């Protein structure tokens, strides 16, 4: 499967719509991963090639017909998280403290109080 085939599914509007509809079922880790990628992609210092890789991962997240149906309780977003984690490991050197702070602030706006362990667990997986 060519990861770049998913770039066409990415748009900022469709990303925000997916998050709005499914953030509670996707969970804090998935949404945090999405936000980290989104903010890295919007960093002017990041190369076009890196931005295209991120757009592909976010396009996969947006795509309604992915490998494991997203509405399946507990496991529906596991494939999305796997793709997002892979993309995050590829761009980890671009994840600045400012990007983490933006993502965390947005999470708090959406979810309220967040368990720090969940975010640290994800950050530990991306290096």
């Amino acid at each position: 499967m060519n990861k770049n085939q998913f770039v066409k599914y990415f748009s900022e509007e469709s990303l925000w719509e997916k998050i709005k509809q499914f953030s509670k079922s996707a969970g804090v880790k998935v949404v945090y991963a999405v936000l980290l990628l989104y903010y890295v992609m919007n960093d002017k210092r990041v190369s076009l090639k890196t931005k295209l890789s991120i757009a592909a991962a976010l396009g996969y997240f947006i795509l309604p017909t992915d490998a494991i149906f997203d509405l399946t309780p507990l496991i529906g977003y596991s494939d999305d998280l796997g793709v997002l984690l892979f993309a995050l490991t590829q761009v980890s050197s671009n994840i600045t403290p400012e990007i983490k702070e933006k993502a965390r602030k947005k999470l708090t706006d959406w979810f309220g109080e967040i368990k720090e362990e969940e975010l640290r667990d994800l950050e530990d997986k991306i290096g």
Side-chain angles (χ1 to χ4, degrees), residues 3-4 7 10 37 40-57 91 94:
K3 72 174 181 169
N4 291 329
V7 170
F10 175 77
L37 288 170
V40 168
M41 188 172 72
N42 284 290
D43 188 327
K44 292 176 181 13
R45 298 168 290 195
V46 174
S47 72
L48 180 59
K49 181 180 177 186
T50 299
K51 290 179 183 199
L52 287 172
S53 292
I54 293 170
V91 302
N94 296 292

Side-chain angles (χ1 to χ4, degrees), residues 3 37 57 80-91 126:
K3 72 174 181 169
L37 288 170
D80 295 273
L81 186 56
V83 169
L84 297 170
L85 277 171
F86 178 76
L88 283 167
T89 60
Q90 301 302 301
V91 302
I126 59 176

Side-chain angles (χ1 to χ4, degrees), residues 3 12 21 32 42 47 76 87 94 97 99 101 104 114 124:
K3 72 174 181 169
E12 201 164 320
Q21 287 182 335
Y32 185 48
N42 284 290
S47 72
N94 296 292
I99 286 172
E101 185 58 36
R104 286 168 177 257
I114 295 177
D124 289 346

Side-chain angles (χ1 to χ4, degrees), residues 10-29:
F10 175 77
S11 76
E12 201 164 320
E13 181 182 328
S14 56
L15 176 67
W16 296 129
E17 187 60 34
K18 175 91 177 210
I19 289 174
K20 189 170 107 179
Q21 287 182 335
F22 298 105
S23 64
K24 296 293 184 198
S25 60
V28 170
K29 278 186 190 178

